[in-house]
Amino acid sequence: MARKTVLQLSGVERHYGQGETTLSILKGVDFELKTGEIVALVAPSGTGKSTLLHLAGLLEHPDGGEVFVDGRACNGLADGERTAIRRAEIGFVYQFHHLLPEFSAIENIMMPQLIAGLSKAEAKERAGQLLDYMRIGHRAEHRPSELSGGEQQRVAIARAVANAPRVLLADEPTGNLDPKTASYVFDALEALVRQSGLAALIATHNHDLAARMDRRVTIEGGKVVEM
Ligand code: ADP
Ligand code: MG
């Protein structure tokens, strides 16, 4: 498969006002993510990993520069268009799963598909496949509170890719798990990315996991640099 750039950040800036002063977090980030690649974002707390992921995921606007998703400049688009692109092209996984507590695992994975207009039967079939793929098919009817931390994160990953996005953005997805569980969850995530031709950018503090990804980048002086 030809490697195509699916996410590009060009000269991206983010500054936060702090009373009289301005805190410059990102000062001209250039970064490209291509189909089929898994990139680790490894940087100390407070350097701007979450900020970068939120900008890349069109959850926030940059103060300068541009974010391209699948070649399309997104900054100037109307909110509705940004939301549509985010729903179709981007999957997000957080450190804490953010699953809906009153719904079962399979219902949580069906939800984004129903919002996208699929029928209940179609959504249920794909959700079931994803649960099997993540090796938690037997937990389909359980609510998040009845699942272990590793199982919750596998459901969250399945939900993030339910609409077959091009880009998976994960913000310390295994940060809350013990090393063995983290490794197991990453195995499942990696297999999913490899077989679907997704591209993934994963913020992590886990150097063992980072070592297994295709590339590692960090944030230095407000810019993204290769490690
Ligand atoms: P990381 O994910 O690498 O820990 P963040 O992107 O969460 O870093 O935050 C980077 C810096 O920006 C931190 O110093 C944080 O306090 C600051 N920051 C993040 N969000 C805001 C905000 N909404 N207002 C002011 N400062 C913020
Ligand atoms: Mg963070």
Side-chain angles (χ1 to χ4, degrees):
M1 179 173 42
R3 298 250 158 159
K4 186 176 167 221
T5 298
V6 284
L7 173 69
Q8 185 186 359
L9 277 67
S10 178
V12 164
E13 296 177 28
R14 191 74 172 103
H15 315 285
Y16 293 114
Q18 296 256 317
E20 304 262 291
T21 56
T22 306
L23 192 61
S24 290
I25 303 301
L26 303 178
K27 306 180 203 174
V29 166
D30 295 317
F31 174 73
E32 279 191 31
L33 187 68
K34 294 183 190 296
T35 44
E37 84 174 339
I38 308 181
V39 177
L41 175 60
V42 188
S45 278
T47 49
K49 298 182 298 300
S50 296
T51 300
L52 191 155
L53 290 169
H54 290 159
L55 292 167
L58 310 183
L59 294 164
E60 287 178 32
H61 284 274
D63 297 310
E66 185 58 276
V67 175
F68 299 87
V69 176
D70 209 19
R72 192 161 177 210
C74 293
N75 199 28
L77 299 177
D79 285 349
E81 277 183 281
R82 287 168 62 87
T83 301
I85 292 172
R86 184 168 62 243
R87 284 188 182 149
E89 313 282 13
I90 297 166
F92 224 105
V93 181
Y94 298 88
Q95 180 171 358
F96 301 100
H97 56 77
H98 290 283
L99 295 170
L100 297 171
E102 65 275 32
F103 292 96
S104 68
I106 195 160
E107 287 167 340
N108 267 281
I109 303 169
M110 289 168 64
M111 206 73 70
Q113 302 176 79
L114 297 175
I115 291 169
L118 266 74
S119 73
K120 217 172 161 184
E122 288 168 319
K124 192 163 189 177
E125 190 183 347
R126 170 140 172 100
Q129 287 166 354
L130 284 167
L131 280 168
D132 287 341
Y133 201 85
M134 299 303 279
R135 303 205 191 144
I136 38 174
H138 58 297
R139 308 298 268 157
E141 303 303 331
H142 290 263
R143 290 185 182 196
S145 63
E146 298 164 338
L147 304 175
S148 70
E151 288 169 341
Q152 289 168 349
Q153 282 306 65
R154 280 183 280 159
V155 175
I157 292 165
R159 180 184 56 176
V161 301
N163 284 335
R166 289 172 196 274
V167 180
L168 181 66
L169 301 172
D171 196 353
E172 305 191 35
T174 64
N176 207 22
L177 306 175
D178 65 79
K180 201 174 152 199
T181 305
S183 177
Y184 190 77
V185 169
F186 182 73
D187 287 344
L189 191 157
E190 184 178 20
L192 193 69
V193 172
R194 300 292 182 213
Q195 69 94 37
S196 62
L198 250 162
L201 177 61
I202 303 174
T204 183
H205 283 295
N206 185 323
H207 286 269
D208 292 334
L209 293 188
R212 291 171 52 190
M213 302 189 203
D214 301 319
R215 275 195 294 140
R216 284 144 292 283
V217 297
T218 188
I219 299 173
E220 264 176 31
K223 294 185 190 248
V224 167
V225 293
E226 301 281 330
M227 290 177 83

